[in-house]
Amino acid sequence: MPLFAEQADAAAASGAFIHQATFRQLSDLYLLSTGGYRPVTRFLSAQETASVAATMHLPGGEPWSIPVIFPIDEDTKRRIGSASRLVLKDGDSIAGALHVEDIFKIDKSRYAQNIFRTEDEAHPGVAWLRDAGDYSVAGSVEAAADWQFDIPGNLPISPRETQAIVARKGWKKVVAFQTRNPIHRAHEFCTKIALETADGLIIHPLLGETKADDTPVDVRLACYDALVKNYYPAEHTLLAGFPAWMRYAGPREAVFHAQVRKNYGATHFIVGRDHAGVGDYYGPFDAQHIFSDFAPGELGIEPIFFDFVHFCRKCGGMASTKTCPHPREDHVHLAGRAVRRMLAEGKKPPNEFTRPEIAAILLQAAQAA
Amino acid sequence: MPLFAEQADAAAASGAFIHQATFRQLSDLYLLSTGGYRPVTRFLSAQETASVAATMHLPGGEPWSIPVIFPIDEDTKRRIGSASRLVLKDGDSIAGALHVEDIFKIDKSRYAQNIFRTEDEAHPGVAWLRDAGDYSVAGSVEAAADWQFDIPGNLPISPRETQAIVARKGWKKVVAFQTRNPIHRAHEFCTKIALETADGLIIHPLLGETKADDTPVDVRLACYDALVKNYYPAEHTLLAGFPAWMRYAGPREAVFHAQVRKNYGATHFIVGRDHAGVGDYYGPFDAQHIFSDFAPGELGIEPIFFDFVHFCRKCGGMASTKTCPHPREDHVHLAGRAVRRMLAEGKKPPNEFTRPEIAAILLQAAQAA
């Protein structure tokens, strides 16, 4: 039975439980209900969660690397009682429903070890899991027909819309690029190199929650817009949004990011150094090595790997450790911390590191902060 | 029966015909006998030649795009008479033998139309065919065990040796680059972009005959050496030689160049703009389109296509028409003719066009000429 806003009270009266959803829950609802998480289309059961965590496969054999769960705390579990469905509220509106099939206790220790490869609470994914409820609701979902998922920016965010643009452009080989940061020249280089031998490029920033010290999403959006307008060919480039939240699960999240991009119409997916990583929890190429745990073609999308990338004065341009033979002193290297310090001091990072248009936006944002 | 130098006179006495081979015939003998032309291992028959010319496949179904023939003139045909084999001489030494299975008249008009897509004698391939004999000798070959094919430079030229180096380096994804010119920044860019997502790069200059106005081979060799030493990473780069002669058959030769590189250990092959083209006989991307005439995987080597490549002042580096959105006035474009004029006038082409080390070699060669 579809759920409309005016039915909320009736729903409550009929034994449904009204649940004020978190942003992360809404994001997962949106991606589950639009096919963004295919082959996963529902919040996973205990058995499915355990299977994905242990084997990176669903019990039916399909590859999947990060369980999609719906954490609730003990009090919420008690209040849900025997309700057969949750009405998911997004502020004052109704976002959809979750049909309760089971409520199970999350094995947090195993989840953290398998998904994050650590139980260190300094890891933002582990911290999220610690603070999330101890139980998860399993079941199918439906989004309300009139629900608009409110995500920053005006980019297309649904798999169907993005697929339709790709089809209209007639692209066959389509590379997707995941990012949660402003795109500097190193990542621009990766996307363009991948595009050289493809038909189209989807610049696909993650627009959901990131950790506090990542660049705010509105600043990032201004950067993406300026970069694409000034440095990318319109006929081969699509700037679209990915309305998910960061897990910081490194290798596991690289696989997840790739599979999701297949649902958005991509055939290839860029995996650079330390993809979806944080701190020193993962080796710089762990997120590339993990792809060899899958059979060729199993994921339905091909990863494209990149080495360390830098501007090299001897090469006179961007290059990677793979293609540049010159020593480190010829390279322009800037760590994230150094860039943040420059910006805080009102200094513009050099053109070898980032485009002047991006530097200007970041500088303005740093000064306003 | 193997053939050694001291057996030459005996061979002649036993009814073999002594034939002073041309460079092109020796090149084909070398590549046939070393597996460089696999699946072709012999000079083709009339039927095989017609099949390859008409269908780009041997009668057995294997793909092959340029007939390997052994042209002789009418007088030679008469003198061969009923000899069962030709002893092929390379100067004073014996290079090998061709076991005569048939001598047939070459259908030059059909050959030219199919292979060169023109009968215009201004086309160097058509001119070669016109000047070659009217007949071709079909049959298997063997190279003399002590024959050294004398090709300029000291690069490895045999498929086996090149394959062994690739195996020793442990490369799995191996990109080959064919060239008959000094490598300027546009082609360096193509090779490096291809290398970014591969394990190794074979820079594989064709070292046999090219047309008179192409850069002489010794000058090219000095350029390759300087470029690889100064701009390529040793652990991912192999400079090897391809001892064939240019056909200038554009699209057909692109397929031929790709298939041959599979025999040298490559898995991927770069096809840029107007590959193996000359004048305006082929559209700039005909040599890419022809690959879609083959079933996926049929050639056993994957082409990698590139668009027009240039230095862009706005991009601040190399880019292609595919990835650079800026107008032509931001690009550094230099036609071959303009470069030759600069060199003749003692002017160094700019760093945006070619590396200074290459400019210096070309300038010196132009001044010495």
Side-chain angles (χ1 to χ4, degrees), chain A residues 273-334:
Chain A
R273 186 180 54 82
D274 199 25
H275 185 105
V278 59
D280 291 323
Y281 293 100
Y282 312 109
F285 299 105
D286 285 359
Q288 300 184 354
H289 299 150
I290 196 172
F291 283 85
S292 55
D293 291 348
F294 297 90
E298 185 180 0
L299 295 172
I301 186 162
E302 288 298 311
I304 300 181
F305 301 134
F306 283 96
D307 212 315
F308 285 90
V309 169
H310 54 259
F311 183 96
C312 172
R313 292 192 195 88
K314 279 259 173 67
C315 287
M318 303 303 298
S320 82
T321 315
K322 175 85 82 62
T323 55
C324 163
H326 307 117
R328 208 181 148 85
E329 53 264 32
D330 293 322
H331 303 171
V332 177
H333 262 293
L334 274 181

Side-chain angles (χ1 to χ4, degrees), chain B residues 24 69 71 111 116 123-132 245 247:
Chain B
R24 288 182 168 99
I69 57 176
Y111 191 107
F116 302 118
H123 184 292
V126 177
W128 157 76
L129 189 64
R130 175 199 61 202
D131 297 341
W245 49 284
R247 275 79 172 170

Side-chain angles (χ1 to χ4, degrees), chain B residues 171-189:
Chain B
W171 296 344
K172 299 286 177 254
K173 182 173 176 184
V174 184
V175 183
F177 177 67
Q178 145 74 30
T179 179
R180 68 172 200 261
N181 288 307
I183 299 177
H184 302 303
R185 290 194 64 182
H187 283 147
E188 179 192 332
F189 176 74

Side-chain angles (χ1 to χ4, degrees), chain A residues 196 198 230 315 320 322-323 326, chain B residues 196 198 230 320 322 326 355:
Chain A
E196 285 294 353
N230 287 294
C315 287
S320 82
K322 175 85 82 62
T323 55
H326 307 117
Chain B
E196 284 295 353
N230 288 293
S320 83
K322 174 86 82 63
H326 307 117
R355 297 296 185 183

